[in-house]
Amino acid sequence: MKHRLAIFASGNGSNFEALAAACAKNRINADVALCVCDKPGAYVTERAKKRNIRVLELRPKSFSNKAEYEQVILNELQKENVDFICLAGYMRIIGATLLQHYEGRIVNIHPSLLPAFPGVDAIGQALEYGVKVFGVTVHLVDQSLDGGKILSQAPIPYNGNDRDELEPMVHTREHALYVETVAEILKN
Ligand code: GRF
């Protein structure tokens, strides 16, 4: 049986694209059932529509709290029989409502070698720190900020400080590692 995947994203969606392409090519044993986006109009929504993937666009500010916001998402996930969630540039902490139902079945990609540089702009943080080995991490999502169990990592040696040069290297590595890791988790 194929898994039913939801991908949560807030922005460009290049990791969404990598995962969706891998599902379409059966490299990942799943169909992308839903794209959840908290920034209506973000580029990821166009990517999803091009692939005929259903998009759920929500404005978190129009809900009175996180539980109410996540309950709407949960209802849609259940309607679509989603059994696994990938966060791909989703700029929000997952709350208790979603964790209760999906803990252990939500993963995230982060552009640093965690536990170094959690939170926003990990690439900028690492450049500022002057590290010589950058990298990416796929981890389980829990209630912490980028602190769940590490599932896979890839180092990116880079001895410079040019963000425009480094960023594409990080993203290319992310796409490969995310696909590889999710494929392995969902292979059965
Ligand atoms: C990626 O660097 C990811 O690791 C981070 O947010 C970025 C999203 O990029 N969590 P994209 O929207 O997938 O292109």
Side-chain angles (χ1 to χ4, degrees), residues 9-16 44 47 87-91 108-111 123 170-171 174-175:
S10 307
N12 172 35
S14 68
N15 282 282
F16 168 91
V44 68
R47 295 185 190 264
L87 308 185
Y90 181 65
M91 302 302 285
N108 181 42
I109 180 105
H110 185 77
I123 297 175
V170 172
H171 290 308
E174 282 187 329
H175 303 158

Side-chain angles (χ1 to χ4, degrees), residues 169-182:
M169 292 163 67
V170 172
H171 290 308
T172 303
R173 203 63 198 87
E174 282 187 329
H175 303 158
L177 188 73
Y178 214 2
V179 166
E180 202 177 286
T181 306
V182 174

Side-chain angles (χ1 to χ4, degrees), residues 55-178:
V55 179
L56 178 65
E57 288 177 90
L58 295 169
R59 284 177 211 283
K61 280 194 182 137
S62 65
F63 296 86
S64 43
N65 54 48
K66 188 182 280 242
E68 207 178 89
Y69 164 70
E70 288 197 341
Q71 188 59 49
V72 172
I73 298 176
L74 181 60
N75 293 345
E76 297 304 319
L77 296 175
Q78 291 182 328
K79 224 187 270 173
E80 295 286 355
N81 292 317
V82 166
D83 67 345
F84 198 80
I85 298 171
C86 291
L87 308 185
Y90 181 65
M91 302 302 285
R92 245 157 239 284
I93 304 248
I94 296 291
T97 307
L98 287 173
L99 276 178
Q100 260 163 30
H101 287 80
Y102 285 99
E103 189 146 31
R105 293 183 292 146
I106 312 179
V107 295
N108 181 42
I109 180 105
H110 185 77
S112 76
L113 291 173
L114 289 170
F117 312 122
V120 290
D121 193 20
I123 297 175
Q125 292 183 54
L127 278 169
E128 178 72 18
Y129 207 91
V131 302
K132 304 297 173 220
V133 181
F134 295 76
V136 301
T137 302
V138 179
H139 64 92
L140 278 179
V141 170
D142 60 16
Q143 69 292 341
S144 69
L145 177 64
D146 301 322
K149 182 178 179 237
I150 290 172
L151 300 175
S152 62
Q153 291 188 306
I156 303 166
Y158 175 68
N159 196 355
N161 60 5
D162 181 347
R163 190 173 181 131
D164 292 339
E165 190 174 44
L166 173 63
E167 252 182 15
M169 292 163 67
V170 172
H171 290 308
T172 303
R173 203 63 198 87
E174 282 187 329
H175 303 158
L177 188 73
Y178 214 2

